[in-house]
Amino acid sequence: MDIEPNNLEAFLCELTRHQRRLRGLVRCLLFDPRDVEDVWQDTNVLLLRKAHEFQLGTDFWAWASAVARYQVLTHCKLLGRDRLAFDLDLIAMIAAETEQLGESIDERRDALQLCLEKLPGPQRQLLEMRYGAGTSLEEVAGKLERPVGSIRQTLYRIREALLACIERRINLDSVS
Amino acid sequence: MSEFLHADQSGQDDASRLPAEGQDRGVTEQISALIDGAVDRETFQRLQERLRQDAASRRQFIHLMLLDADLADEFSTESVGGMVDVLSTPLPKPVSPIQRHVEDHSRGSDSVRRSWIHGGITLATVLLVCGSLFWWNRSSAPPVAESRSALAQVVRISDSSLEPEFRAGQKLEAGTVRLMSGVVEIRIQSGVTALLEGPVELEILDPMQARLVKGRALFRVPPPAIGFTCRTANASVIDLGTEFGVYAGEESGTEVQVYEGEVIAGAAAAMQQQSGQRVQSGQAVLIRGDGLSEPEEIQFLPDRFRRYLPDPKDPHDPDRTSTGIYNDAQHEELRIVPTSGNVVIDGSLEDWNLSGEFVSRCRPPFETFYHLRGAAMYDDQYLYIAANVGDPFPMRSTVSPHIKRDLYGNGGCLAFRISTDRRMGWPIRGLAPGVDRNRQLLPDDVNEKLVFLILWYYEPERLPCLHVKYGMDEHDRKVNPPGYEGAFRKWPDGLGYTAEYRIPWSLLSAEDAPPQAGDVLGWTWLVHWSGPEGRNWKGQLIDISNPKETGWNFHRAATWGKAVYTGRNP
């Protein structure tokens, strides 16, 4: 089966450039990291299959995020009742607001890089433990021989501090 | 408050300051707990209502989830034996057309580079060399020279005594990897892993391009590196997010085989004109050396490329030897016996008539841990299937039935190719599309009664699953359709599982004429094994086959063995 020859390369560039945003969008809508990975991958496959429908020069993010949102909604309909998932109307609301962030998603990530550089070593180590191998809260607590609640509280404070740092960075950039 | 927050604080680190006044800590704390999987349903419902009502809370939620995605991306690694930070070094100046295009179109090259760089961290990396003789760019640089602008890295070496100047973690500059024998896996800066099987020469041109001079290489490409291109003397292969193998023969041309996802492959000249052919999972093509021909579909051979490397700590790992998990089919027929009373689908076979049971084992040295005892029964309404499967990593599949896929068996499964066509009898007729390019599809090829079944246990939901495909062309598919029952039970020693299924004939297109005693129809039995992660295919067993036929069961139904439906007293 032949592909659309025109602009394939440019399409792949757009797809590559938007990978992080797409993953972030899916993360905003699903809670189980495995679901996020599955839907993210599935979205990529679908985008590639629909490549011929995309008109270069139009808004790739608008198009791709709509596909991702559709994939999430389809996925949520299939989730069992025992799984935590937002109601579909709230998913649509959050998706729309995330999509509107557009490039600021990339800006936030850039700001995070700087914030992480400033993060004290022990806090960074905890993040590495938590995210390094998808380690669960319980496993982290076990390794550190600390109560789960304490680890959860610490992670909350680190995230809160990082969010505040990101906001400050973005505000600094906007006034400089 | 934890020492994690206080330790190393100088009061100057803006990342560790307390949040700005006015932020709603309650919501933030709940969202953080949600991220960590630590909220109960009641709290979740309260949070959901809050988010629905309050735009500021939604904004906070979105920012936190984006942060979580970025942190996962920043820190995560699935590498075995520890993460090696090949990705911390700066990228060399991009040279590929794709990269140039990205840089031209992005807000700035940094964000694109970062997406490639950090995407690599999420890629699972398992590396081992099997008796390898490996050197790096001997002609232009000392083989052990560390590079400040590393383009790739050796992650692990099994037998460094053979080539002592190389070591795990060694960074590699742009240049040619030559491997005389054995297997090595390297990771390129873009996150792409390349599994090289000697004798092979691979030139890494930049993070998104490599040139296979000769030999075999298997590439795994994470989403951020989509567009990665492997060139050979006569062909190009552009990845579309996948796992694929390339063989560059000196005269025979280039073979491309796709295990997962898809690629675009074609003769070099055609690809320069942005023309090529999609090659999808389960397909293989040959691009002849004349540089002019269209890619020709060739037979997909699972073991055409080496896909996995062993974990020396795992005594059951099939890759500890140079042979894979395979078997030699030992049986031509399966005797399918009538049920003997009520059968409860619970993973116990005490209520089974096992007189038709057969045993099949993989080749040494895997026969101890990888084997099958299979049996089947029938009645007027149902087909019953039972299997005792030796499997060091039983019932671990994380392949979700909720996501539409072509293949669901990568995480370990039972699979069957069955004919319920009583008029056809045996041997079975039917070809998959493309097997004979000069032949149109025939009614036998699209016969609804030629059915492919995949049975697997979806571990996250502890769900016995069923995937049904109809016809050799697989024109219709169903996942977990109503009507079947399944049960899995892990063996007490953890080295295998028992599976038991009851599938209505209606799902097998045989409700009009279910098999009767005396029928001889078609059947092939497959077992697929995965690794400990329940995601990656490791090997397979195929039995009940027609010894007079060659080829693949998914290409040619004539290869299927016999299903002999017996009477009451076989």
Side-chain angles (χ1 to χ4, degrees):
Chain A
M1 89 195 78
D2 292 333
I3 62 164
E4 287 289 330
N6 294 332
N7 304 319
L8 169 66
E9 188 175 298
F11 176 83
L12 291 175
C13 291
E14 289 287 2
L15 186 59
T16 304
R17 192 162 72 87
H18 287 84
Q19 282 299 301
R20 296 297 149 212
R21 277 196 229 171
L22 284 170
R23 191 187 189 193
L25 171 62
V26 175
R27 183 68 183 101
C28 287
L29 307 175
L30 294 170
F31 306 126
D32 187 326
R34 287 171 301 196
D35 290 337
V36 174
E37 293 301 311
D38 279 347
V39 172
W40 181 37
Q41 297 269 2
D42 218 43
T43 299
N44 277 314
V45 171
L46 195 58
L47 289 172
L48 288 164
R49 287 189 176 152
K50 289 175 170 283
H52 62 282
E53 296 178 9
F54 176 66
Q55 297 291 317
L56 273 178
T58 60
D59 188 341
F60 184 89
W61 172 237
W63 178 70
S65 60
V67 172
R69 186 181 353 141
Y70 171 79
Q71 289 297 102
V72 170
L73 291 171
T74 304
H75 186 83
C76 286
K77 288 175 184 171
L78 296 170
L79 288 177
R81 288 189 169 194
D82 58 324
R83 306 280 297 279
L84 289 181
F86 284 150
D87 295 341
L88 298 185
D89 65 320
L90 181 57
I91 288 177
M93 201 183 295
I94 292 171
E97 291 174 11
T98 308
E99 288 161 25
Q100 284 172 9
L101 289 177
E103 286 191 353
S104 75
I105 295 175
D106 304 331
E107 291 166 3
R108 298 185 71 83
R109 183 182 173 83
D110 292 347
L112 173 65
Q113 298 293 319
L114 299 171
C115 293
L116 284 173
E117 288 173 11
K118 300 288 186 181
L119 198 67
Q123 295 187 20
R124 190 180 172 89
Q125 287 164 15
L126 180 59
L127 290 179
E128 285 176 356
M129 288 184 72
R130 174 69 178 86
Y131 288 99
T135 313
S136 72
L137 213 58
E138 289 72 18
E139 288 169 323
V140 172
K143 285 179 182 174
L144 295 176
E145 298 181 339
R146 295 171 49 81
V148 172
S150 167
I151 299 298
R152 185 173 67 236
Q153 191 70 7
T154 304
L155 283 168
Y156 149 60
R157 291 186 183 283
I158 293 173
R159 290 177 181 129
E160 194 176 40
L162 284 173
L163 274 189
C165 174
I166 289 168
E167 294 297 337
R168 279 194 291 272
R169 289 281 173 191
I170 289 177
N171 289 337
L172 276 176
D173 288 346
S174 65
V175 298
S176 61
Chain B
M1 191 179 294
S2 162
E3 69 269 25
F4 282 105
L5 195 61
H6 288 307
D8 291 350
Q9 276 191 319
S10 64
Q12 302 302 313
D13 288 324
D14 64 356
S16 58
R17 282 189 217 156
L18 289 174
E21 289 298 320
Q23 281 188 356
D24 187 335
R25 292 186 190 174
V27 167
T28 305
E29 191 169 1
Q30 285 179 4
I31 299 167
S32 184
L34 178 66
I35 288 170
D36 291 322
V39 296
D40 56 29
R41 193 162 288 277
E42 190 179 331
T43 307
F44 179 78
Q45 291 300 343
R46 278 205 308 272
L47 176 62
Q48 177 165 240
E49 202 50 42
R50 174 74 177 266
L51 295 178
R52 189 178 271 122
Q53 304 292 336
D54 181 16
S57 295
R58 280 200 304 280
R59 191 163 53 248
Q60 185 75 346
F61 173 84
I62 291 167
H63 287 167
L64 261 168
M65 298 306 276
L66 290 173
L67 172 66
D68 180 69
D70 287 342
L71 288 173
D73 193 40
E74 181 73 24
F75 290 107
S76 78
T77 173
E78 299 174 32
S79 65
V80 175
M83 182 175 71
V84 183
D85 189 14
V86 295
L87 307 171
S88 61
T89 52
L91 285 172
K93 186 178 179 182
V95 294
S96 76
I98 288 178
Q99 263 183 293
R100 278 198 297 271
H101 194 102
V102 169
E103 296 223 327
D104 290 346
H105 283 73
S106 63
R107 289 182 299 111
S109 60
D110 284 353
S111 62
V112 176
R113 288 181 182 180
R114 195 156 32 248
S115 75
W116 283 338
I117 291 169
H118 294 297
I121 295 174
T122 63
L123 187 66
T125 305
V126 180
L127 173 68
L128 205 62
V129 178
C130 300
S132 63
L133 295 172
F134 172 70
W135 71 93
W136 175 261
N137 203 18
R138 276 188 189 281
S139 59
S140 59
V144 296
E146 289 288 337
S147 168
R148 291 179 182 276
S149 57
L151 195 54
Q153 187 163 27
V154 178
V155 184
R156 204 170 58 175
I157 297 175
S158 63
D159 191 351
S160 57
S161 64
L162 290 171
E163 198 71 20
E165 64 266 46
F166 286 94
R167 65 180 188 280
Q170 184 174 348
K171 294 178 179 176
L172 306 170
E173 297 176 10
T176 303
V177 183
R178 297 185 184 87
L179 185 70
M180 296 303 293
S181 64
V183 184
V184 64
E185 188 168 331
I186 61 175
R187 182 159 60 179
I188 303 171
Q189 243 179 5
S190 53
V192 174
T193 54
L195 199 69
L196 309 177
E197 189 173 353
V200 63
E201 283 186 38
L202 180 76
E203 183 181 5
I204 302 174
L205 302 171
D206 64 52
M208 293 296 285
Q209 282 194 105
R211 189 168 70 93
L212 185 62
V213 180
K214 67 175 183 180
R216 294 178 190 280
L218 181 117
F219 300 94
R220 291 197 182 94
V221 182
I226 284 173
F228 174 82
T229 301
C230 175
R231 305 183 194 284
T232 66
N234 70 306
S236 289
V237 185
I238 300 177
D239 167 81
L240 299 181
T242 187
E243 175 186 338
F244 66 97
V246 180
Y247 169 66
E250 297 198 354
E251 294 180 356
S252 58
T254 300
E255 294 174 6
V256 180
Q257 178 162 296
V258 179
Y259 289 92
E260 293 182 12
E262 55 190 319
V263 303
I264 298 169
M271 295 294 278
Q272 283 174 0
Q273 297 171 14
Q274 298 188 337
S275 175
Q277 177 174 316
R278 279 185 194 273
V279 186
Q280 296 181 318
S281 172
Q283 292 182 318
V285 296
L286 168 66
I287 301 152
R288 294 196 181 276
D290 58 16
L292 302 171
S293 308
E294 293 281 311
E296 298 172 23
E297 185 152 348
I298 56 175
Q299 191 175 63
F300 180 94
L301 301 174
D303 54 356
R304 178 173 273 132
F305 296 93
R306 189 171 180 102
R307 300 176 68 198
Y308 300 103
L309 289 167
D311 179 352
K313 295 175 184 174
D314 174 12
H316 308 309
D317 195 300
D319 293 318
R320 293 189 75 192
T321 73
S322 59
T323 62
I325 307 176
Y326 295 111
N327 72 305
D328 298 309
Q330 298 157 37
H331 303 275
E332 182 178 356
E333 67 177 41
L334 170 67
R335 288 192 305 127
I336 302 179
V337 302
T339 55
S340 49
N342 187 41
V343 179
V344 179
I345 305 301
D346 57 359
S348 166
L349 307 185
E350 290 179 355
D351 47 7
W352 268 66
N353 174 358
L354 293 171
S355 60
E357 185 181 60
F358 74 102
V359 178
S360 187
R361 291 180 176 277
C362 287
R363 295 175 190 154
F366 304 114
E367 76 280 16
T368 306
F369 295 108
Y370 296 88
H371 46 81
L372 163 72
R373 297 177 77 89
M377 301 193 296
Y378 73 102
D379 61 25
D380 290 342
Q381 294 185 52
Y382 298 100
L383 173 68
Y384 300 76
I385 297 172
N388 282 301
V389 179
D391 184 346
F393 309 110
M395 297 164 58
R396 294 197 188 191
S397 178
T398 58
V399 178
S400 169
H402 309 305
I403 305 295
K404 189 177 177 184
R405 299 173 189 276
D406 285 335
L407 302 168
Y408 289 88
N410 286 3
C413 73
L414 296 165
F416 306 89
R417 296 192 181 274
I418 296 173
S419 168
T420 59
D421 191 337
R422 300 185 68 209
R423 287 189 299 178
M424 181 186 286
W426 190 90
I428 312 302
R429 299 183 300 274
L431 292 181
V435 174
D436 182 348
R437 299 187 70 180
N438 299 316
R439 175 177 170 278
Q440 297 293 317
L441 283 179
L442 298 177
D444 286 338
D445 305 334
V446 298
N447 187 341
E448 298 278 343
K449 291 177 183 285
L450 304 188
V451 183
F452 181 44
L453 304 176
I454 292 179
L455 284 51
W456 82 105
Y457 182 81
Y458 180 46
E459 194 277 335
E461 296 181 15
R462 299 179 180 177
L463 185 66
C465 299
L466 174 66
H467 183 209
V468 192
K469 296 182 181 182
Y470 298 92
M472 293 301 287
D473 62 336
E474 300 180 349
H475 59 270
D476 193 16
R477 303 161 182 221
K478 295 174 181 172
V479 180
N480 291 352
Y484 80 94
E485 288 179 78
F488 284 78
R489 190 177 288 199
K490 200 176 290 184
W491 295 354
D493 63 5
L495 292 175
Y497 64 89
T498 300
E500 184 181 20
Y501 271 70
R502 171 162 46 209
I503 302 169
W505 289 117
S506 58
L507 281 178
L508 307 175
S509 310
E511 67 273 31
D512 56 336
Q516 303 292 316
D519 283 349
V520 179
L521 307 180
W523 189 292
T524 280
W525 193 309
L526 303 94
V527 181
H528 289 278
W529 285 279
S530 81
E533 76 301 320
R535 200 84 182 178
N536 295 319
W537 185 89
K538 284 265 185 178
Q540 67 181 9
L541 176 151
I542 305 173
D543 217 323
I544 315 296
S545 58
N546 183 350
K548 294 177 182 172
E549 294 288 340
T550 57
W552 290 97
N553 57 72
F554 52 87
H555 279 161
R556 303 180 65 242
T559 64
W560 302 359
K562 297 175 185 171
V564 179
Y565 291 83
T566 71
R568 280 286 156 202
N569 297 300

